[in-house]
Amino acid sequence: GAVVSQHPSWVICKSGTSVKIECRSLDFQATTMFWYRQFPKQSLMLMATSNEGSKATYEQGVEKDKFLINHASLTLSTLTVTSAHPEDSSFYICSAREDWRSEDTQYFGPGTRLTVL
Amino acid sequence: SQQGEEDPQALSIQEGENATMNCSYKTSINNLQWYRQNSGRGLVHLILIRSNEREKHSGRLRVTLDTSKKSSSLLITASRAADTASYFCATALIQGAQKLVFGQGTRLTINP
């Protein structure tokens, strides 16, 4: 149980295009999901907290108009990188919390590697 | 911003030896968690220790927490080649709104 998937696993796009990444909780409901980015050999940096049915909460320094988050159902959150540039190239990872758990354990997706040319 | 620092940044040991990684943090926490990440993959939850706990075991893993020193350690006993990965501590802040703040990570290499 507690499996999170991400799609696509990797994507290459041209500068200026938009890319959508999906995060799904496969066997549990997740009111709250999280989006992280990770540069090579670095730690995870939280970008935003995605809340089902409401606006996402962005961390300081993260442009909400550039990184659009939609959490339309209890099992799906999407991250859209708009007008992508080479500096947006990174590893994007989502995670989800099981609604019924009181603890903060998060279950992570396998990540999406974005390369912007 | 990063909450924690991990030490060492990289560790290389022989198979069968024990590996110890340390994590320090800055603010009060609700709990502390350890995760493993294989290269280019997502994170796998290993163990959670609450702020009122001092030690916890799970298989070959032993985690300690010292809230007075704001530090934690992860011990992997009888290491195996498959333990090669990056290990991250993550803190759930008391006022963190369910967020986790990750440390810098330790890259562990187990040599056969």
Side-chain angles (χ1 to χ4, degrees), chain B residues 11-82:
Chain B
L11 178 62
S12 181
I13 61 174
Q14 295 299 120
E15 195 168 19
E17 295 181 340
N18 296 340
T20 300
M21 289 158 272
N22 303 296
C23 167
S24 61
Y25 57 92
K26 299 174 183 175
T27 59
S28 297
I29 62 171
N30 188 14
N31 63 69
L32 185 145
Q33 305 176 36
W34 285 89
Y35 289 82
R36 184 186 74 224
Q37 183 181 35
N38 289 89
S39 180
R41 312 291 284 273
L43 275 70
V44 174
H45 180 258
L46 296 176
I47 197 166
L48 179 153
I49 186 165
R50 297 182 180 84
S51 59
N52 61 354
E53 297 177 310
R54 291 297 167 258
E55 187 172 312
K56 203 163 183 178
H57 297 255
S58 177
R60 293 184 295 114
L61 305 181
R62 172 177 169 253
V63 169
T64 62
L65 178 64
D66 187 334
T67 53
S68 67
K69 296 181 179 178
K70 292 187 169 57
S71 67
S72 174
S73 68
L74 170 67
L75 169 67
I76 303 175
T77 61
S79 63
R80 305 168 182 169

Side-chain angles (χ1 to χ4, degrees), chain A residues 38 43 45 59 103-104 106, chain B residues 2 31 37 50 99 103:
Chain A
Q38 183 181 33
S43 187
M45 295 296 294
E59 294 299 299
E103 296 175 339
D104 302 289
Q106 295 181 16
Chain B
Q2 295 301 126
N31 63 69
Q37 183 181 35
R50 297 182 180 84
K99 297 190 299 186

Side-chain angles (χ1 to χ4, degrees), chain A residues 66-97:
Chain A
K66 180 168 184 62
F67 299 99
L68 301 180
I69 292 172
N70 186 307
H71 194 151
S73 78
L74 289 173
T75 59
L76 173 64
S77 175
T78 60
L79 169 69
T80 300
V81 183
T82 63
S83 186
H85 291 284
E87 57 265 31
D88 298 323
S89 297
S90 187
F91 193 54
Y92 291 87
I93 308 177
C94 72
S95 68
R97 291 182 68 246

Side-chain angles (χ1 to χ4, degrees), chain A residues 5-12 19-23 35 79 91-94 109-114:
Chain A
S5 69
Q6 276 184 247
H7 177 79
S9 55
W10 59 270
V11 57
I12 301 173
V19 175
K20 179 185 284 188
I21 303 170
E22 294 185 347
C23 177
W35 287 97
L79 169 69
F91 193 54
Y92 291 87
I93 308 177
C94 72
T112 296
R113 187 161 302 284
L114 170 63

